[in-house]
Amino acid sequence: MIRCQAPKFVYPSDELILPVVFENAHLEDIKIECACQVNENCKIDNKSTAGYEIDIPEGGRYLLNLPLSIHKIQSNLKSILKGEENVVVKVVGKSTSFNFADALTISIPIKFPTSVIIEENAEFELTDQSTSYDFSLNEKPSNEEKLGLSLSLSTSKRAVLTKSLSSLNQYPYGCTEQVSSILISMICAYTYYPLSLKKKKHYKKKINSLIKSLIKRRNASGAFGFWHNDFSPFCSVYGNYALLVAHKNDFSIDSREINRSIFFFKTLKTYMLRKNAVPIEQFPDFLKIITFMGQYYYINNFAEANEINNLQQLIVEDYTKCGKLKLPLEALVYIYGSLTSPDYDTIKDELKNYIFSLITHENETTCYLIASISHSKYHFHLHSSSVLTAALMESIMQVDINNQYLSKLSNGLLFSLRKDGSGAWPDTFSNAKAFEILTKYFLKTESMIPEYSLSISIDDYETGAIMNSLETLINHHQSIKGNEIVHIKKSKGNGVCYLNMFLQRYPLSIPSTMAELKSPYFEIRREFSESLSNLPTNCTITIHLRITVLIDSHHVVIEDAIPSGWEIIKNKSSYFSHTEYRSTGLQVFANSLTSGVYKLKYECRSVYAGNFVVPPAQVFSMYESFKKAHTPSTTCIIE
């Protein structure tokens, strides 16, 4: 019998000793001939891959240490980040004295920390056959870096939205708001975008997984917390809305869970009044917004026809009690979108005139609404101008799809995309809402172009033409060198082609000498209880992290990626909001941290011998990734 306890992951350029055990279950000594094979992602050092001869005594075992070297990145980074690249080792043993053979295949995922990736982005339009576009690098990379080019093509402006969906999937932190935002956006993509059968199957599996994750964290009253055991009014409304959206789009959810969500929305106002023990006119601004937002979601998506008028009457009563000038702009937008009955046209006209008078005009073709609520420490990221603009667009679309403001507001949403090249809005809630509303808007308003083609060349090397029919999105991946320029030219077709080009620069292996990064927001230091230059196996290492918060911060993430030769034992800190143990390291979350020093301590065990990279530990704001700091990287030798 052949057995092996392999590491849960490896990094590019790691060197490790893979322990393979041969066991003799026979009643006499045996001789084994064995051979080893590996795939293109690694190699076996200093030994032949065939011709091992092993003598194993009766009932005994033999330990074969395979020295593996993981190659630098061989493929596109996208496949590694999606978990599609593995180190594969196959060991075969055959007895020369018995009619007996055994084989073992070991597959180890290759991981890559996103902290060392640099991204560049370009968005542009090609309007006729003579139009072309050149894209060159801002900075020439070193020989130890690789570049991956991704180009999205579409006859629709939805081309600019594909990266926002990708950005949503890169938020792996699992709080209720993020799970709900990703779920809503994936349902929107599944429903409205032309996907291949393979992609549809993948999306459906992910959507069902997100539904289960949401249901698992809901409490008995149907409410949600930001994580698992707390209470958040916003997450309660948003989480239940996400579940009902999934149900509305025919995803399977237990009827009892659906009834709990419907009951929550029907009793939302009573629930909020009981929870806050004051009338609605005395609610803080963010609670007024959440109350009216919940009623808006329910009326426009899930309410029965016979209950809508009664719900709208209650909203008008609350609006009258609070007074227009005492309600934040966000609440007024949700009230405006909730009053669908002609009986309330007078109030709706009053609201429309007031809201439209507050629209900010960037230029003749671009406008948006500026959120009125301040960034409180509890709801810092939940009410942005992007969300407010998207909500107003949704309300107008229900009444008049040809309204002159819709085109300007859609441009305003695109104008508010982050300027860091990520192709996303500032946070997942903004991202999800903008993605959903712009998708629906572009579907209703844009004409279809039958087909077009693009010629793509890198310097003077022609890579061929890519055909695109109707609204099919095609990703073209091509590795390029740092001193080259990408030329794109439209060669066929009528109308406008919308393109989004995304370039990733990343090292071929994780740098072992990555310098420390400080910022005006955070500082982080990391210390180890043991010297990393000659660790024995099965040694316990205590890691001390010291995080200095220089400015009060919200939704803070602390990540410490461990070497592939280690395993986490336990965490010894308890004052953070949420902790996750992953095979690749520790992730700690804090909803809010005031300025000061915070200490975190946890333990790992050295398990596998070899030379390993220790990636930087980092601290950053979950929704403002430019606010970050990290420690230097280093190396670890386990003997």
Side-chain angles (χ1 to χ4, degrees):
M1 179 184 295
I2 307 173
R3 294 186 297 107
C4 177
Q5 183 180 357
K8 293 182 173 63
F9 68 96
V10 290
Y11 293 128
S13 293
D14 274 351
E15 299 174 359
L16 71 148
I17 305 297
L18 190 66
V20 180
V21 177
F22 293 80
E23 291 186 343
N24 179 11
H26 297 278
L27 300 178
E28 58 182 276
D29 299 349
I30 61 172
K31 185 184 289 290
I32 296 289
E33 288 182 355
C34 71
C36 303
Q37 291 180 326
V38 294
N39 69 347
E40 67 279 1
N41 289 324
C42 68
K43 69 175 181 178
I44 300 176
D45 292 333
N46 303 324
K47 288 184 181 289
S48 168
T49 57
Y52 293 101
E53 288 194 355
I54 301 170
D55 293 314
I56 310 177
E58 172 192 345
R61 61 179 61 184
Y62 181 88
L63 174 63
L64 175 65
N65 288 317
L66 287 178
L68 292 183
S69 289
I70 314 304
H71 292 320
K72 295 178 181 179
I73 291 181
Q74 304 290 307
S75 57
N76 193 286
L77 179 65
K78 183 178 180 182
S79 61
I80 295 178
L81 296 179
K82 289 174 67 177
E84 295 174 349
E85 291 295 321
N86 297 277
V87 166
V88 179
V89 181
K90 186 174 182 179
V91 182
V92 180
K94 182 178 181 182
S95 170
T96 57
S97 50
F98 292 94
N99 185 20
F100 167 79
D102 194 11
L104 176 68
T105 300
I106 305 147
S107 182
I108 310 171
I110 300 175
K111 300 291 186 181
F112 197 87
T114 56
S115 58
V116 298
I117 299 172
I118 299 173
E119 299 177 348
E120 298 178 27
N121 189 68
E123 298 171 7
F124 50 96
E125 300 176 7
L126 301 181
T127 55
D128 55 52
Q129 293 188 20
S130 63
T131 303
S132 63
Y133 184 87
D134 290 350
F135 181 79
S136 58
L137 299 180
N138 293 335
E139 179 183 343
K140 183 177 177 179
S142 68
N143 292 332
E144 284 298 300
E145 286 186 310
K146 192 175 183 180
L147 303 172
L149 171 66
S150 175
L151 180 64
S152 299
L153 321 171
S154 179
T155 58
S156 164
K157 273 192 177 180
R158 284 188 295 158
V160 303
L161 303 181
T162 54
K163 279 192 63 186
S164 64
L165 181 62
S166 176
S167 294
L168 279 163
N169 282 314
Q170 291 173 15
Y171 283 92
Y173 307 116
C175 64
T176 301
E177 182 268 318
Q178 289 191 359
V179 171
S180 301
S181 291
I182 296 168
L183 175 60
I184 291 168
S185 297
M186 292 200 79
I187 291 172
C188 182
Y190 183 88
T191 305
Y192 297 113
Y193 281 74
L195 304 173
S196 65
L197 290 176
K198 182 179 179 181
K199 199 82 169 177
K200 266 193 172 293
K201 186 176 180 181
H202 168 73
Y203 271 44
K204 190 170 184 178
K205 183 178 179 181
K206 181 72 179 288
I207 289 168
N208 287 327
S209 174
L210 291 167
I211 291 170
K212 290 178 182 177
S213 177
L214 266 186
I215 291 173
K216 193 181 295 184
R217 65 181 63 215
R218 182 156 62 170
N219 63 32
S221 64
F224 288 90
F226 199 80
W227 293 104
H228 289 275
N229 301 316
D230 53 344
F231 167 72
S232 164
F234 170 79
C235 289
S236 296
V237 169
Y238 197 40
N240 279 295
Y241 171 65
L243 288 176
L244 290 177
V245 168
H247 174 67
K248 187 177 180 180
N249 285 276
D250 298 324
F251 287 92
S252 178
I253 304 178
D254 190 298
S255 59
R256 291 170 296 183
E257 299 296 339
I258 296 303
N259 290 336
R260 286 172 72 191
S261 292
I262 291 174
F263 179 77
F264 175 84
F265 278 110
K266 284 183 175 181
T267 60
L268 172 63
K269 182 183 172 184
T270 306
Y271 185 87
M272 297 289 272
L273 289 171
R274 185 177 72 249
K275 199 80 178 174
N276 295 281
V278 293
I280 191 170
E281 57 267 27
Q282 296 179 29
F283 280 12
D285 279 354
F286 75 89
L287 284 182
K288 290 176 183 175
I289 294 170
I290 291 166
T291 303
F292 287 117
M293 181 177 72
Q295 293 170 318
Y296 164 81
Y297 282 160
Y298 185 64
I299 287 174
N300 286 289
N301 295 280
F302 317 115
E304 299 289 341
N306 57 1
E307 59 182 337
I308 289 178
N309 197 58
N310 184 47
L311 289 169
Q312 290 179 344
Q313 185 177 346
L314 293 174
I315 289 173
V316 170
E317 290 175 4
D318 289 336
Y319 167 69
T320 305
K321 288 178 188 175
C322 295
K324 178 178 67 179
L325 298 179
K326 292 183 180 179
L327 284 169
L329 181 58
E330 292 87 340
L332 295 177
V333 168
Y334 288 123
I335 293 171
Y336 172 69
S338 300
L339 302 180
T340 57
S341 170
D343 296 343
Y344 305 108
D345 280 351
T346 302
I347 294 176
K348 195 157 187 176
D349 287 342
E350 175 189 326
L351 281 169
K352 181 176 75 172
N353 293 334
Y354 180 70
I355 292 168
F356 282 26
S357 71
L358 298 176
I359 287 178
T360 299
H361 292 267
E362 184 69 24
N363 51 48
E364 291 183 359
T365 61
T366 303
C367 67
Y368 44 82
L369 276 171
I370 296 179
S372 62
I373 191 171
S374 62
H375 283 176
S376 73
K377 69 177 183 178
Y378 299 109
H379 296 275
F380 157 71
H381 68 287
L382 301 180
H383 304 285
S384 69
S385 296
S386 302
V387 171
L388 191 56
T389 301
L392 181 58
M393 278 190 69
E394 187 175 31
S395 298
I396 296 173
M397 283 164 61
Q398 293 174 4
V399 178
D400 180 13
I401 191 64
N402 297 312
N403 187 288
Q404 60 173 337
Y405 276 109
L406 282 176
S407 176
K408 294 181 179 181
L409 288 169
S410 69
N411 289 335
L413 270 184
L414 297 175
F415 180 80
S416 62
L417 283 164
R418 286 205 315 245
K419 309 304 180 186
D420 59 0
S422 63
W425 284 269
D427 56 76
T428 39
F429 183 41
S430 301
N431 220 344
K433 198 64 185 173
F435 179 83
E436 177 187 12
I437 300 307
L438 285 177
T439 293
K440 293 177 179 177
Y441 173 68
F442 291 145
L443 274 172
K444 289 183 178 181
T445 59
E446 289 184 338
S447 60
M448 305 301 163
I449 301 173
E451 95 180 357
Y452 66 83
S453 68
L454 297 178
S455 296
I456 300 177
S457 60
I458 298 173
D459 278 348
D460 294 323
Y461 178 72
E462 183 72 29
T463 62
I466 299 177
M467 298 299 295
N468 188 21
S469 300
L470 291 177
E471 296 182 334
T472 305
L473 301 177
I474 298 176
N475 285 325
H476 178 72
H477 300 283
Q478 174 73 44
S479 295
I480 62 176
K481 298 177 182 177
N483 58 355
E484 293 179 323
I485 298 175
V486 181
H487 308 279
I488 300 179
K489 181 177 180 180
K490 184 176 177 185
S491 57
K492 177 183 176 182
N494 300 314
V496 181
C497 302
Y498 301 98
L499 296 101
N500 189 321
M501 184 146 62
F502 178 51
L503 194 70
Q504 288 182 319
R505 290 174 46 195
Y506 49 93
L508 300 180
S509 58
I510 301 165
S512 60
T513 56
M514 193 171 174
E516 178 183 10
L517 174 66
K518 295 183 179 181
S519 79
Y521 309 98
F522 303 109
E523 291 179 3
I524 181 169
R525 299 289 174 87
R526 178 174 62 185
E527 295 180 356
F528 303 97
S529 62
E530 308 292 332
S531 170
L532 302 187
S533 59
N534 55 351
L535 277 174
T537 55
N538 204 33
C539 174
T540 299
I541 308 104
T542 303
I543 298 95
H544 299 266
L545 296 175
R546 176 187 169 94
I547 301 97
T548 303
V549 179
L550 303 174
I551 300 174
D552 291 359
S553 300
H554 311 287
H555 307 293
V556 177
V557 182
I558 301 160
E559 285 185 336
D560 194 12
I562 63 172
S564 58
W566 292 9
E567 289 183 354
I568 290 181
I569 302 174
K570 56 186 174 181
N571 169 37
K572 291 189 173 180
S573 295
S574 58
Y575 48 75
F576 293 100
S577 306
H578 184 67
T579 301
E580 288 188 7
Y581 304 93
R582 301 189 175 192
S583 61
T584 53
L586 182 73
Q587 289 184 332
V588 177
F589 307 86
N591 290 344
S592 180
L593 291 179
T594 56
S595 57
V597 176
Y598 299 85
K599 295 181 179 179
L600 174 64
K601 181 168 69 173
Y602 71 101
E603 294 179 350
C604 288
R605 181 184 294 114
S606 57
V607 181
Y608 301 95
N611 298 339
F612 304 95
V613 175
V614 185
Q618 60 177 342
V619 54
F620 58 93
S621 173
M622 184 160 36
Y623 297 105
E624 296 177 293
S625 56
F626 64 90
K627 296 181 178 179
K628 64 181 177 181
H630 63 67
T631 67
S633 61
T634 185
T635 56
C636 172
I637 301 175
I638 303 176
E639 299 174 341

